[in-house]
């Protein structure tokens, strides 16, 4: 279950926090988003430290397919309908700016991480009309998009939306390089945050600015992020011996594959289901079947899953954590597009702290409110959480055995046979078979 990135790069281990300290800014989470934020803050002159409960890039960052793109599925037609052309265009421009900034960092710091520019394709084997409409919407917004029948794939499609100048890289080679000069404390779990203080299991950090970049925010109130997004999992299988593809690919079909190459290794991704709700075995079987059909020369080498936060209105939350917490900042809800969203959040949070004007602030503001778009997903999520909580209440007082309750808000956990972990269907916390916390929003192991 190890990604090809983790197999090929080892990041040196850091010490845990040993004493109480004071800094300008503290970042919670040493994934792509936290490290990029810390890097830009240090670059801007702020003394910054990063706190990480496990290892650097040990969460979702090591499991990404590392596509760097503003092509986020079928979104531009939908964004235009929901929010108007101006905001839909800003969304695309913001992520294009993030691609450019990542490239700048790589060039300025001479980072060898196999970064390359290449086209992004949104393709289908069934629905040409939907692709044409999406291409038209994106083109109208000035995003360098067009409809094409030439995909560079070896199998038939009905066409694709082509975005020019997208990119890919090796995420851990990049992380290893940018984390080198940062102050990072590993194996240091944050227990609580009060005013300008972060309390960990190893010591206290006082800072003017606290940045929650830990995938899912760990403070429930204020902010209420647990009511504004849920978590979904998707699966990846890597195959050796496949000729490199000329682009990065994302299918709009139900069983379609997301594709990218890394040399002769092909990554095939699929699925997308609420954490704790499906047997991953089924998803791997479906990906395997499709991949073997299209790339019979491939030899399977490994597989893994990734987990993403899905906000109700389809846009990340980046900015002030809550109006009641002026020095707190948050970056979450990246959906499946963590590379550009991480870079974008680092830029936005740096500018927020330094009060630099940024055209994308309002679009991603956690204080935004879009009831017409968010109401449906909100009620669906609320119903799921009530179901999980009700099951959790039934388990109260029962012997553990095959049943466990989540340490976040008490929902009943589901056992994931494939990965041998406990998963929470309410907000997505996961625990290993010994009960050790793997993913937030919970802050505690099962036995604490
Ligand atoms: Fe919220 Fe489990 S993650 S109850």
């Amino acid at each position: 279950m190890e990604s090809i990135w983790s197999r090929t790069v080892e990041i040196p281990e850091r010490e845990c926090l040993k004493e109480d300290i004071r800094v300008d800014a503290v970042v919670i989470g040493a994934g792509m988003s936290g490290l990029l934020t810390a890097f830009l803050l240090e670059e801007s002159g702020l003394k910054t430290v990063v706190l990480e409960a496990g290892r650097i890039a040990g969460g979702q960052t090591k499991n990404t397919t590392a596509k760097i793109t503003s092509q986020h599925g079928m979104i531009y037609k939908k964004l235009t309908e929901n929010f108007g052309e101006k905001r839909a265009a800003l969304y695309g421009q913001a992520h294009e700016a993030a691609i450019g900034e990542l490239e700048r960092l790589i060039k300025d710091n001479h980072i060898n991480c196999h970064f390359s520019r290449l086209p992004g394709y949104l393709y289908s084997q069934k629905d040409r009309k939907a692709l044409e409409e999406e291409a038209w919407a994106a083109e109208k917004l000035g995003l360098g998009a067009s409809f094409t029948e030439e995909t560079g794939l070896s199998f038939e499609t009905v066409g694709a939306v082509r975005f020019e100048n997208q990119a890919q890289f090796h995420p851990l080679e990049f992380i290893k390089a940018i984390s080198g000069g940062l102050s990072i404390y590993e194996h240091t779990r944050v227990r609580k945050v009060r005013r300008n203080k972060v309390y960990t299991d190893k010591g206290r950090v006082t800072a003017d600015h606290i940045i929650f970049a830990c995938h899912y925010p760990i403070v429930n109130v204020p902010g209420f992020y647990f009511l504004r997004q849920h978590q979904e999992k998707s699966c990846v299988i890597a195959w050796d011996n496949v000729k490199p593809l000329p682009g990065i690919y994302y299918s709009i079909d139900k069983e379609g594959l997301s594709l990218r190459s890394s040399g002769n290794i092909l990554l095939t991704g699929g699925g997308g289901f609420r954490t704790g709700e499906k047997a991953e075995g089924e998803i791997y079987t479906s990906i395997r079947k499709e991949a073997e059909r299209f790339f019979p020369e491939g030899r399977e080498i490994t597989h893994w899953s990734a987990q993403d936060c899905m906000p109700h209105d389809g846009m990340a939350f980046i900015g002030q954590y809550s109006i009641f917490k002026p020095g707190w900042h948050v970056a979450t809800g990246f959906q499946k597009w963590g590379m550009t969203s991480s870079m974008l959040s680092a830029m936005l949070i740096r500018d927020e702290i330094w009060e630099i004007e940024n055209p994308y602030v309002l679009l991603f503001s956690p204080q935004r409110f879009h009831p017409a778009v968010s109401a449906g997903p909100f009620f669906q999520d609320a119903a799921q959480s009530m179901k999980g909580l009700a099951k959790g209440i039934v388990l109260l007082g029962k012997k553990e055995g095959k049943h466990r309750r989540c340490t976040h808000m008490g929902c009943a956990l589901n056992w994931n046979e494939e990965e041998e972990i406990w998963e929470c269907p309410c907000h997505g916390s996961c625990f290993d078979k010994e009960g050790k916390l793997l993913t937030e929003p919970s802050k505690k192991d099962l036995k604490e």
Side-chain angles (χ1 to χ4, degrees):
M1 301 296 281
E2 203 181 15
S3 74
I4 55 160
W5 318 124
S6 307
R7 284 177 165 211
T8 46
V9 169
E10 208 164 305
I11 297 175
E13 195 152 7
R14 304 293 185 95
E15 292 199 327
C16 62
L17 185 67
K18 296 256 167 67
E19 58 187 351
D20 295 349
I21 57 171
R22 190 173 203 317
V23 288
D24 296 325
V26 54
V27 178
I28 304 172
M32 186 65 79
S33 158
L35 293 172
L36 281 170
T37 305
F39 191 89
L40 292 196
L41 292 182
E42 277 284 340
E43 202 181 47
S44 74
L46 289 185
K47 185 170 166 36
T48 306
V49 297
V50 183
L51 303 175
E52 169 56 50
R55 295 288 331 274
I56 293 170
Q60 299 313 312
T61 296
K62 68 179 186 321
N63 297 333
T64 172
T65 53
K67 293 177 185 154
I68 307 168
T69 180
S70 60
Q71 187 185 63
H72 295 178
M74 297 284 277
I75 55 157
Y76 288 105
K77 180 169 176 276
K78 202 162 128 199
L79 285 176
T80 304
E81 285 165 3
N82 286 342
F83 305 113
E85 267 185 24
K86 198 171 161 217
R87 282 193 273 181
L90 272 179
Y91 182 96
Q93 288 158 13
H95 289 92
E96 283 292 320
I99 303 174
E101 181 67 358
L102 265 172
E103 190 170 26
R104 176 194 75 81
L105 284 181
I106 290 164
K107 282 194 178 145
D108 286 0
N109 296 285
H110 310 289
I111 299 173
N112 181 7
C113 58
H114 295 89
F115 178 89
S116 61
R117 289 274 194 172
L118 69 184
Y121 296 91
L122 190 62
Y123 74 97
S124 171
Q125 295 194 288
K126 295 171 188 156
D127 198 344
R128 181 182 174 116
K129 188 164 172 278
L131 291 173
E132 284 174 340
E133 287 174 0
E134 178 65 13
W136 172 234
E139 202 180 338
K140 244 172 92 187
L141 300 174
L143 295 176
S146 58
F147 178 82
T148 180
E149 289 177 348
E150 305 296 319
T151 63
L153 289 171
S154 55
F155 55 87
E156 288 278 310
T157 69
V158 294
V161 184
R162 175 180 161 126
F163 271 45
E164 304 301 333
N165 246 344
Q166 308 301 290
Q168 63 181 16
F169 66 177
H170 188 311
L172 296 192
E173 283 175 351
F174 176 74
I175 288 280
K176 187 174 180 178
I178 62 157
S179 62
L182 296 175
S183 297
I184 304 168
Y185 297 101
E186 291 187 319
H187 310 294
T188 302
R189 182 172 292 287
V190 172
R191 294 298 190 188
K192 63 179 181 184
V193 185
R194 296 279 185 272
R195 295 174 187 270
N196 64 342
K197 293 188 172 33
V198 177
Y199 297 84
T200 79
D201 54 359
K202 306 285 186 334
R204 191 181 66 202
V205 181
T206 306
D208 299 331
H209 295 281
I210 299 170
I211 297 101
F212 293 77
C214 45
H215 186 67
Y216 202 115
I218 50 172
V219 173
N220 290 338
V221 183
F224 299 95
Y225 292 96
F226 67 97
L227 292 175
R228 304 164 76 187
Q229 60 180 0
H230 68 270
Q231 298 209 62
E232 279 189 7
K233 292 187 97 168
S234 49
C235 303
V236 182
I237 301 181
W239 310 80
D240 200 358
N241 194 40
V242 183
K243 203 169 134 221
L245 299 176
I248 52 178
Y249 298 83
Y250 189 79
S251 170
I252 65 166
D253 301 333
K254 196 162 170 266
E255 314 257 285
L257 298 176
S258 146
L259 305 163
R260 74 152 279 191
S261 297
S262 174
N264 283 332
I265 295 176
L266 173 71
L267 306 189
T268 55
F273 52 93
R274 196 180 171 106
T275 303
E277 283 204 334
K278 241 186 187 168
E280 276 169 27
E282 282 172 37
I283 308 293
Y284 286 119
T285 305
S286 160
I287 296 174
R288 203 166 276 129
K289 198 171 122 213
E290 290 297 287
E292 283 170 349
R293 193 154 69 93
F294 299 135
F295 306 98
E297 70 279 26
R299 285 189 307 257
E300 183 173 338
I301 48 176
T302 184
H303 64 274
W304 67 92
S305 69
Q307 183 162 261
D308 299 291
C309 295
M310 312 299 285
H312 294 155
D313 63 3
M315 276 190 277
F317 298 109
I318 306 168
Q320 195 177 336
Y321 198 96
S322 154
I323 51 166
F324 303 108
K325 301 287 177 186
W328 291 18
H329 314 267
V330 66
T332 188
F334 295 170
Q335 301 163 92
K336 296 170 198 297
W337 313 106
M339 299 300 101
T340 46
S341 300
S342 291
M343 188 69 254
L344 177 64
S345 61
M347 294 154 76
L348 277 165
I349 289 170
R350 174 201 56 198
D351 292 352
E352 181 171 80
I353 288 174
W354 285 103
E355 296 180 8
I356 297 168
E357 214 173 298
N358 187 311
Y360 314 119
V361 171
L362 291 178
L363 192 63
F364 298 99
S365 166
Q367 280 70 55
R368 68 180 185 263
F369 187 46
H370 299 132
V373 183
S374 307
F378 168 80
F379 286 115
Q380 270 172 19
D381 266 6
Q384 288 291 339
S385 298
M386 292 313 290
K387 206 163 82 183
L389 275 169
K391 282 190 190 165
I393 290 167
V394 172
L395 296 179
L396 270 173
K398 281 199 178 171
K399 276 204 171 163
E400 274 181 355
K402 285 189 191 155
H403 307 289
R404 296 283 174 95
R405 294 179 74 234
C406 182
T407 49
H408 179 225
M409 294 173 84
C411 285
L413 297 174
N414 293 335
W415 177 244
N416 176 335
E417 193 68 51
E418 178 80 26
E419 291 189 50
E420 300 197 316
I421 58 172
W422 293 98
E423 295 178 336
C424 182
C426 288
H427 315 108
S429 289
C430 298
F431 306 83
D432 72 11
K433 58 182 168 191
E434 268 80 47
K436 194 167 173 311
L437 178 64
L438 298 172
T439 58
E440 291 81 14
S442 183
K443 300 191 285 276
K444 288 192 266 177
D445 297 338
L446 288 182
K447 296 244 166 84
E448 283 181 65

